[in-house]
Structure formats: structure tokens, C-alpha cells
Amino acid sequence: MISYSTPVLDFDNKFMRYVLFNKLLLKLEELMKNQHIWSSEPPSEQALASTAPFACDTLPFEQWLQFIFIPKMYQLLAARQPMPTAMAIAPMAEHVWQHNGPHQSIINLLKEFDELINESI
């Protein structure tokens, strides 16, 4: 019989969360491309430098997802850095896309991101 210590279980849990988070990021990219909200042109450096939540003063929400959120999350995963401890992206997506039914699949996926991050609290 194999006995697992808490550190091993913690590592396994963290690793599985990273794997799931990576899958969700790939799915988000796919959905955004399929719904034609994936930009081929990056925004200006000035727009990316916004300090407002979701860069709402300089970027449409989908560009914040593509050029800030997704790359930052991939950086954290690649470096095996801790993930955020709290996240609420889906409410912003619901607000921005409240009258856009086709984006509901993206909103649902963002709810999965929020749940995954917030379950560790």
C-alpha cells in the first residue's frame, strides 16, 4: 500500500489545477476565434498600459482577454507561479455582453475560470 503525505497531495492538486487552467485557456482562445472576436492586430503599448480594471478605459473586453488576461495566465502557468487567489471575470463579461447571446459560451467558460480560482480560497 502506498501512503501519500500531504505535500504530495498538495502538489498533485496544484498540478491538476494547472492542467485544467491550461485547458480552459486553450478553450477560451478557440471560442474567441470561432466567434470572430480574436484580433490579428495587437493594441498599442499605451492601451495595454492601462491601470483601470480590465483596461476598460483603453480596450474592448475581448482585447483585454486576448492581450492581457490570457498571456498573463500562460506566464504564471509556465513559471509555475501561484495563480490568483480570487477572480471575478464572468460578471464583467456578463455586463459587457449582456445583449450578445452568441458570447454566452465564453461567459460560461469564464465562470469556470472564476470557480476554479475561487475554490482554493
Side-chain angles (χ1 to χ4, degrees):
M1 174 183 227
I2 298 174
S3 174
Y4 293 101
S5 65
T6 301
V8 171
L9 291 175
D10 288 344
F11 174 79
D12 288 345
N13 185 34
K14 184 178 179 181
F15 178 76
M16 291 309 297
R17 291 184 58 180
Y18 277 40
V19 168
L20 180 55
F21 210 92
N22 190 66
K23 285 182 181 182
L24 291 174
L25 286 169
L26 292 170
K27 182 66 174 175
L28 177 59
E29 287 184 42
E30 178 186 338
L31 287 172
M32 290 177 68
K33 288 174 183 176
N34 289 343
Q35 294 182 23
H36 308 288
I37 58 172
W38 188 265
S39 179
S40 59
E41 296 294 321
S44 70
E45 290 298 319
Q46 182 180 3
L48 291 171
S50 170
T51 58
F54 304 103
C56 64
D57 59 339
T58 60
L59 295 175
F61 182 68
E62 58 270 15
Q63 285 192 345
W64 176 82
L65 286 170
Q66 180 181 349
F67 295 105
I68 296 177
F69 175 72
I70 293 172
K72 179 64 175 174
M73 294 301 105
Y74 277 134
Q75 287 173 352
L76 292 175
L77 290 171
R80 297 294 189 248
Q81 294 293 311
M83 301 307 287
T85 57
M87 192 162 67
I89 298 175
M92 182 63 169
E94 289 172 329
H95 172 74
V96 170
W97 293 323
Q98 62 186 322
H99 301 295
N100 194 333
H103 295 328
Q104 188 60 47
S105 58
I106 295 174
I107 293 169
N108 292 340
L109 186 66
L110 293 173
K111 287 178 182 178
E112 289 185 52
F113 276 107
D114 290 349
E115 291 169 6
L116 180 62
I117 290 300
N118 296 327
E119 77 181 14
S120 67
I121 295 174

